[in-house]
Amino acid sequence: QLFEFQPLHFIPKPITEAEIIADLQLALFRSNKLNKQFVYKKNFNYYKIPIHEILYFQSFNREVIMITDHGNEIFYSTLDAIEAQLCNDQFYRIHRSYLINCNRIQILRYAEIEMSNGQILPISKLKRQAFRSFQLNNERGTT
């Protein structure tokens, strides 16, 4: 029943002020990360979408296709610009054409990943080693 409340951390007794402050800072950091928005321009309008709804970005010529829970959006940009805007440990460039939301990976294989929508994306040869290291660090919480 405890995990229905999604506990953040257990603090062993005796409790210190420093541990409480560190846990509160971690909770604020995580909640802020979950509520972030991605802003993009399409035609002359600016749009916002919660980052957790984005599965991945795919570049195609000068356009970027953003694959989300609610469909696809196409707009003019570069993956470099998007990567700079998102600069956090949730997104990773697995290929020159793909920037993925690591929280939306369903299956990780040696040369490809399967996203939560069933789409299979290639991991370039040059990115495989670095991506595996990134994933390991992410799982350990050291990123």
Side-chain angles (χ1 to χ4, degrees):
Q1 290 175 341
L2 174 68
F3 290 99
E4 290 177 21
F5 296 100
Q6 298 180 353
L8 178 66
H9 192 241
F10 294 99
I11 302 175
K13 292 180 182 176
I15 299 172
T16 67
E17 183 180 341
E19 289 174 318
I20 292 173
I21 291 171
D23 277 0
L24 288 173
Q25 288 174 335
L26 178 61
L28 288 171
F29 173 76
R30 286 189 179 173
S31 69
N32 210 10
K33 209 171 158 182
L34 294 175
N35 295 324
K36 281 192 174 180
Q37 305 255 337
F38 173 69
V39 179
Y40 63 99
K41 183 179 178 184
K42 185 174 180 180
N43 299 323
F44 297 102
N45 301 313
Y46 288 89
Y47 299 90
K48 289 182 180 181
I49 183 169
I51 285 179
H52 69 271
E53 292 182 9
I54 301 170
L55 278 78
Y56 63 93
F57 297 92
Q58 179 180 1
S59 68
F60 186 73
N61 292 330
R62 296 178 338 178
E63 295 180 325
V64 171
I65 304 167
M66 178 174 57
I67 290 70
T68 72
D69 290 332
H70 308 292
N72 301 346
E73 283 289 332
I74 299 173
F75 55 95
Y76 288 102
S77 187
T78 65
L79 287 185
D80 289 337
I82 294 170
E83 194 171 16
Q85 181 183 342
L86 294 172
C87 64
N88 66 33
D89 58 356
Q90 187 174 346
F91 285 82
Y92 196 87
R93 188 97 165 255
I94 60 165
H95 188 280
R96 70 177 187 183
S97 299
Y98 295 103
L99 177 64
I100 63 161
N101 183 341
C102 293
N103 294 334
R104 303 303 299 270
I105 296 172
Q106 188 167 332
I107 300 172
L108 175 59
R109 298 184 185 97
Y110 175 71
E112 63 189 20
I113 57 166
E114 184 174 328
M115 300 303 291
S116 59
N117 66 349
Q119 185 69 41
I120 296 173
L121 304 175
I123 304 171
S124 73
K125 288 181 183 179
L126 297 174
K127 300 278 187 175
R128 288 178 190 160
Q129 183 68 34
F131 181 61
R132 273 195 289 286
S133 297
F134 172 82
Q135 278 296 102
L136 286 173
N137 288 337
N138 237 4
E139 289 172 13
R140 290 182 191 136
T142 58
T143 312

